Structures are given as structure tokens and as C-alpha cells.
Amino acid sequence: MNPLSDFPITRKWPARHPERLQLYSLPTPNGVKVSIMLEETGLPYEAHRVAFDSNDQFSPEFLSLSPNNKIPAILDPDGPGGRPLALFESGAILLYLADKTGRFAPQDAAARYETIQWLMWQVGGVGPMFGQLGFFHRFAGKDYEDKRPRDRYAAESRRLLGVLDQRLAGREWIMGGDYTIADIAVFPWVRNLVGFYGAGEIVGFDGFAHVRRALDAFAARPAVRKGLDVPGAD
């Protein structure tokens, strides 16, 4: 019996390999957090594209899995206790995959909570602020003569980059020598800020040498390069 057949989302996106973890996503900063994590861990998975241009995220099938209508979401046929598990929210998914595989999160309790602290820092600060700056800088800036909204988010994004730069001074990764879910969460957003959003100059990105060095190391990882393109076009 297909363990996923009871989930409405599989009617819109049928699982060709129902024994594998199912990923519903797009290659956005939040989306690629999970595809990169899956590539890093080597877990078998099947990716499904949730097309925003056709409002897939508002379909009843997608909302049955992700009621907040945001990507990414997963459906794991082999969840806790061997039962299927559905999850949305990229931070929660990263924690789940780290626990499932025993990788990219420290086993030591204190270090684990410190890692989660930086994961929450990305979820609550970096993502919202960088995303708002991207909206006002790349997309809507020309529609607003008043540049205070853009400048507000630019200033806060610059501050956050300063926090990250200070943290990385003398450290290879956010948690030191170990690459963790904190890095997997943070660096797709940094990459998007200076790449897709083109906001490097307005935040003074060249002045954050430690962030630039870590971003280059992140982008050079084979699993990152592959995960950044998941899911591809249908």
C-alpha cells in the first residue's frame, strides 16, 4: 500500500517514488535550504515544483499540507515511528532532517541549542529583513518616491550582516569548524541579497570580509550547487 495515498497533496503531485521523501518547493532562499540539506545528507527524495505563476501555493492540495501557503513543505513516508510525517516551515524541516539523519546539528546539548539560536536568528531576522529590502530595492523601488521604507530595511540588513560578520571572525562557519543547519539556513539568503536582489552595494557588502569568505565556501560545496537548482522546471 502506498503510505502517501491518504495525503491530498499527492493527487496534484503524484509520487513516482512513494518510498522517498517528497519535497514541494521552488528554488527560492527558503526553498533551497531544504533541497541543500537533502543533498548534503544524501536522503533519497523526490522534488515537486510548486509554481507560483499558476498559484499552485493556493491550491487545496497544497494547503492541505502547508496551510500557510508557503514553500517549502515535505512529506516523509518514513517519519517517526515509521509513520508518514508532513511538515511545513523551512526551519522546522531543517531541524527534523538533522534529527532524522544525525547530521549537521551538534549532539552536545549546549552546542545544539546554540545552533538552533542561529537558525532562529535567520528565520526571525535575516529572512524577513533581506526579503523586504529585496522587494523595495529590486521590485517596487521605482514605484515609491519615498525611499524611507527601502532605507529602513537596508539599514537593518546591514546591521544583521555586521552581526554575522562578527560571529564569523575567527570561525570557518557559524558554529566554528562544523558546518551546520545554521549555515544552510543563513547563506542562501545572503547569496540572494547580493545576487538576485542586487543589493550588495546598498548594504556595503564588500565591507563584510568574513561573510564574503564564508559565502564563497558555502557556494563551492557540491551539495549546495546541486540543491540550488531544485526543483528544476517541470
Side-chain angles (χ1 to χ4, degrees), residues 50-117:
V50 180
F52 287 178
D53 56 359
S54 57
N55 289 324
D56 280 350
Q57 72 273 30
F58 297 111
S59 66
E61 294 86 355
F62 186 71
L63 291 172
S64 71
L65 184 62
S66 180
N68 197 37
N69 68 266
K70 303 294 184 183
I71 58 97
I74 65 167
L75 182 52
D76 185 0
D78 184 27
R83 295 184 297 274
L85 177 69
L87 281 179
F88 66 96
E89 283 296 326
S90 58
I93 296 170
L94 288 181
L95 278 170
Y96 170 69
L97 295 176
D99 288 344
K100 180 180 176 73
T101 61
R103 301 186 65 192
F104 305 113
Q107 298 301 306
D108 172 75
R112 174 181 170 82
Y113 282 111
E114 191 177 352
T115 303
I116 293 172
Q117 164 188 268

Side-chain angles (χ1 to χ4, degrees), residues 117-118 120-122 125-126 129-130 155-171 173-174 186-187 190 203 207-211:
Q117 164 188 268
W118 285 100
M120 295 300 104
W121 178 79
Q122 183 279 304
V126 166
M129 294 303 106
F130 287 14
E156 180 62 5
S157 296
R158 193 178 306 117
R159 186 192 70 80
L160 289 165
L161 286 169
V163 172
L164 181 59
D165 201 63
Q166 184 177 28
R167 175 67 182 181
L168 288 167
R171 292 182 175 89
W173 300 106
I174 290 172
V186 168
F187 286 109
V190 177
V203 297
F208 301 106
H210 304 300
V211 177

Side-chain angles (χ1 to χ4, degrees), residues 28-30 122-141 149-150 152-154 156-157 160 186 188-190 192-194 196-199 203:
T28 67
N30 282 332
Q122 183 279 304
V123 170
V126 166
M129 294 303 106
F130 287 14
Q132 292 290 352
L133 175 56
F135 174 78
F136 283 106
H137 181 65
R138 171 166 178 162
F139 296 110
R150 184 203 65 181
R152 167 186 167 83
Y153 292 116
E156 180 62 5
S157 296
L160 289 165
V186 168
W189 274 103
V190 177
N192 214 60
L193 180 72
V194 300
F196 182 70
Y197 290 153
V203 297

